[in-house]
Amino acid sequence: MKNGNKHPQMLEGIEIRNLVTVEFPYGLPGFEWLKRFNIAEVKDNPLFSLLYSTDEPDISMIIMKCPVAETSEELYKLVRKEIKRYFGANGNGVDIYFVVRLEKGEKKLIANYSAPIVVCRDRMVGYQLILERDLSELICENSNVR
Amino acid sequence: MLVLTRKRNETIRIGSNIKVKVLEVSGSYVKIGIEAPLEIPVYREELYQKILEENRASLISRELDGQYLKEVISRKAG
């Protein structure tokens, strides 16, 4: 159901550094009918962004930019095949994000490393990949983010 | 649901450019090969369902404390 809001209510009071609209030709698993999402980058925070549907802004989630995207060749090897499938490229100019789940009671953040969201910056097209292998080992070896 | 019976090495064609071939049958397991255009995603159903559920569980709830959300997305990389 469309509610006509431009931005999710949760964004009120949060300073946004950059806002881009990305086409997701297949939607996202669970939200296949939604093809366009905004990525709102939070001011002074290079790590977390908000991803929300342009048509249904309440369909919103926190995403985390892959902390090793520029440095981990191993990670790119793992996702390159999938990236090539969609973008016909070797991974250059493609941002990788992970969906983060909030566990409010325990105030924990849990990243889903099995399904990275890849966004081609030039074409502003994105896909959520579903990998057979969980990337968490690679990520944890290379960053401070758990 | 369309139900077709196939033997080992026999194929099903879906549309003009997707082929599904029975490679091996062993007990209750069937090994299948899929030829599809690169841009067509092919997943095991249970993996897709798992990610679908994770995505739904990751939605920011309307009931979420706004201050808590601000705290979370104000965190810097460690």
Side-chain angles (χ1 to χ4, degrees):
Chain A
M1 186 186 300
K2 294 184 181 183
N3 63 14
N5 289 337
K6 270 188 163 182
H7 304 296
Q9 200 175 358
M10 298 82 176
L11 269 183
E12 286 174 16
I14 295 173
E15 283 194 81
I16 300 303
R17 173 168 57 90
N18 190 28
L19 184 70
V20 295
T21 301
V22 179
E23 297 283 341
F24 285 79
Y26 297 109
L28 299 176
F31 309 102
E32 293 83 357
W33 66 96
L34 298 172
K35 308 295 188 191
R36 297 177 82 216
F37 285 80
N38 281 337
I39 296 178
E41 295 178 359
V42 180
K43 190 179 178 190
D44 296 329
N45 189 334
L47 188 62
F48 294 114
S49 300
L50 286 166
L51 175 79
Y52 61 92
S53 162
T54 57
D55 292 323
E56 298 184 38
D58 284 343
I59 305 295
S60 58
M61 22 181 123
I62 297 174
I63 55 173
M64 181 180 76
K65 202 163 195 172
C66 176
V68 292
E70 302 302 322
T71 56
S72 173
E73 185 60 25
E74 196 178 356
L75 182 134
Y76 263 123
K77 276 183 189 167
L78 201 59
V79 296
R80 183 175 290 143
K81 188 178 161 193
E82 293 294 318
I83 287 175
K84 191 175 181 182
R85 174 198 298 263
Y86 293 111
F87 300 122
N90 61 5
N92 295 331
V94 176
D95 286 330
I96 303 174
Y97 298 90
F98 299 103
V99 175
V100 173
R101 190 172 82 236
L102 289 175
E103 291 286 328
K104 192 188 173 193
E106 300 172 40
K107 295 211 166 187
K108 274 200 309 195
L109 296 173
I110 300 171
N112 180 3
Y113 292 118
S114 300
I117 289 176
V118 293
V119 174
C120 177
R121 287 193 297 268
D122 293 340
R123 291 159 49 189
M124 298 314 289
V125 172
Y127 301 92
Q128 186 168 23
L129 310 180
I130 297 179
L131 303 175
E132 297 275 333
R133 181 182 165 188
D134 191 326
L135 293 175
S136 55
E137 278 180 29
L138 275 178
I139 299 291
C140 290
E141 281 170 11
N142 286 282
S143 84
N144 294 320
V145 180
R146 298 292 182 267
Chain B
M1 179 188 288
L2 173 66
V3 179
L4 300 171
T5 302
R6 300 273 70 192
K7 294 177 185 169
R8 187 168 165 267
N9 288 328
E10 290 185 336
T11 300
I12 293 167
R13 184 177 284 267
I14 302 171
S16 61
N17 53 7
I18 298 175
K19 287 202 288 186
V20 181
K21 185 174 184 180
V22 179
L23 299 176
E24 191 179 314
V25 180
S26 174
S28 59
Y29 291 91
V30 178
K31 188 182 282 186
I32 56 175
I34 300 162
E35 284 181 34
L38 284 178
E39 67 273 15
I40 301 288
V42 178
Y43 303 121
R44 297 168 202 260
E45 175 64 15
E46 63 272 24
L47 275 182
Y48 191 86
Q49 289 298 323
K50 185 179 168 217
I51 301 305
L52 179 154
E53 285 163 20
E54 293 255 4
N55 278 351
R56 288 181 177 164
S58 300
L59 286 184
I60 300 173
S61 162
R62 277 177 175 275
E63 289 76 40
L64 185 71
D65 177 353
Q67 186 56 38
Y68 173 51
L69 177 64
K70 284 175 201 165
E71 284 172 23
V72 166
I73 61 175
S74 296
R75 290 182 194 177
K76 306 287 196 300

